[in-house]
Amino acid sequence: MALTDITQRANNSSAARTPTRQTTLFDALNAAQRHSNKRQRRSAPFSSSSQENTAPEGNSDQLEGKVLKRVRLESLHISVPTPPTQSSVVHNIILPAPAPKSPAAQYGSLYSARSAIRLRQRQQNVPMRAVSTINRLESLVSPEARVYRLQAEEDSQIGALPLACKYSNSVGTQSRLALVDEGGMISLIDPVNSKMDVAGEDGMQPVVRWRGHDNSIFDVEWYADDTRMVTASADETCRLWDVEQQKLLGVFGGHSQTVRSVSWRHEDQHCFSSASRDGSIMMWDLRVNKAKVGDEYSYRPVNTISRAHYGLRHVGKAPRGKGSLVAGSVTAIKHLRHNANLVASVGSTSETVKYWDTRMSVPIRATELPTPAATSLLPSSAGRSRGTSSLTLDPDGTRLYSACNDNRVYVHNALLPDTPIAQLDAPEFECSSFNITTSVSPCGRHLAAGSANGSVVVWELDMYGQNSSKRRAVLQGHIKEAGCVAWYPGAEKTQLATCGDDGTMRVWDINVELADSAKADPMKRCRWGFTSVHQTH
């Protein structure tokens, strides 16, 4: 039928209803489409054959060969996708191909929400859920050759318990694992090139080991290029080291109590921050506020935030909620990635995460309390406030994980501070001290946390940083509290380092053969450790 015949028939049928308006070409097309859609719905709405049609023969104005017919459901705001063509044919009328629509408009509601979901799954063929990888961790094992046993130095009366361990930023053969202990020693271990020899009884040996402080070292942070590192100690100072020569480069003094945590500023080669039990956060710049003392420099802070985390001290029979303000310990800090001027901190007085602007001015009066740029508070509860032991930022810089002494790990949105978006817990996880730390895998899919009972719990995370699958892996290898955990930063292998109060540091690797052997033999299971996967109902 010719185009003029279609228009004339439409005008004759609608003349009685709307005599003052002439039916246009678009009205004729819409009428033809409504009839076509009605026939499609009656036959098979999701049939692939209803989306195909061939052009009639004998019409030289049409496309040659077989042309796919595009059915457009304008009233439902959805278009059924077809292979790309130069044009679309609707009842012998050649129309230009429509512009591509957004996914929301393309996969709208058709008949029902369930039908729309089925249509989207059939067309895209994309799985709705990510594949779980927690079962791979069931093969994590740490034989005796992958265990480092710390020994106390002859000139030290302090024990040799490991307190912190951190992998360098380099991967492969250049990777190093820094371990600091209660005796003030710094050890560098090669965790990649060491062979997994089950017959070895001496365990791993450090590449180099030297004395860093005269007291316990609580934290260590690698420089961006792995040439230097900074350590935090109970001698109230931080120290900067040349890793290759084990040479002291600078001493940072200013805290009045133990320095608990240090954190480098992201994409900055000169600035870092430190947190102490005196309740203060200090910012340091390697370019200023320094004086030459012998072969090294002595530094002063460029900014100080005092009483960052304060609490109430009850005296005598003071009623609840009444008392004097005291500065609580700042247990952990972490510089954020999306804003170089923000640093997050947690303390021993509450579960609150505070975000500080490192450029903020110091209060002039001693009675004034500093005001953070933002806070992340827990929902109100009847229980008393508990402290937080550690703070971890995921590789993307969008999620913060805080391990609290209520045996939970809270998930915070680092980009939009507010109440925690989720919480992680497990029967095997006990956080009863301020030495428990957490670590996120380089892929962002797993969060490992130490525990006071010697276990190491690894939660499986989804794209939102939550444990939606309710699955976790539990590593059993330490006989006392497992405090520090650290993931290998490379993507070519899965490796985890854990430190315990039993005086050992274990390096866990995936080895199916050794893991099966350890699970079958109780003696090997005690010496090598083992991993089990659990499901939370």
Side-chain angles (χ1 to χ4, degrees), residues 162 371 406 533:
T371 303
D406 58 356
V533 176

mmCIF file of all heavy atoms in Angstrom, residues 162 371 406 533:
data_model
loop_
_atom_site.group_PDB
_atom_site.id
_atom_site.type_symbol
_atom_site.label_atom_id
_atom_site.label_comp_id
_atom_site.label_asym_id
_atom_site.label_seq_id
_atom_site.Cartn_x
_atom_site.Cartn_y
_atom_site.Cartn_z
ATOM 1 N N PRO A 162 56.182 -9.751 68.269
ATOM 2 C CA PRO A 162 55.936 -8.900 67.099
ATOM 3 C C PRO A 162 54.722 -7.998 67.344
ATOM 4 O O PRO A 162 53.697 -8.433 67.856
ATOM 5 C CB PRO A 162 55.670 -9.914 65.984
ATOM 6 C CG PRO A 162 55.169 -11.136 66.697
ATOM 7 C CD PRO A 162 55.868 -11.165 68.022
ATOM 8 N N THR A 371 37.641 20.997 66.714
ATOM 9 C CA THR A 371 36.422 20.595 65.994
ATOM 10 C C THR A 371 36.809 19.883 64.715
ATOM 11 O O THR A 371 37.463 20.470 63.847
ATOM 12 C CB THR A 371 35.564 21.819 65.663
ATOM 13 O OG1 THR A 371 35.239 22.517 66.868
ATOM 14 C CG2 THR A 371 34.283 21.398 64.955
ATOM 15 N N ASP A 406 33.919 -3.812 70.712
ATOM 16 C CA ASP A 406 32.658 -4.533 70.897
ATOM 17 C C ASP A 406 32.576 -5.749 69.991
ATOM 18 O O ASP A 406 31.471 -6.246 69.715
ATOM 19 C CB ASP A 406 31.470 -3.603 70.644
ATOM 20 C CG ASP A 406 31.493 -3.003 69.248
ATOM 21 O OD1 ASP A 406 32.469 -3.260 68.516
ATOM 22 O OD2 ASP A 406 30.551 -2.278 68.885
ATOM 23 N N VAL A 533 36.363 -22.626 56.051
ATOM 24 C CA VAL A 533 35.392 -21.668 55.534
ATOM 25 C C VAL A 533 34.056 -21.907 56.224
ATOM 26 O O VAL A 533 33.603 -23.051 56.340
ATOM 27 C CB VAL A 533 35.244 -21.798 54.000
ATOM 28 C CG1 VAL A 533 34.157 -20.862 53.478
ATOM 29 C CG2 VAL A 533 36.572 -21.491 53.320
#
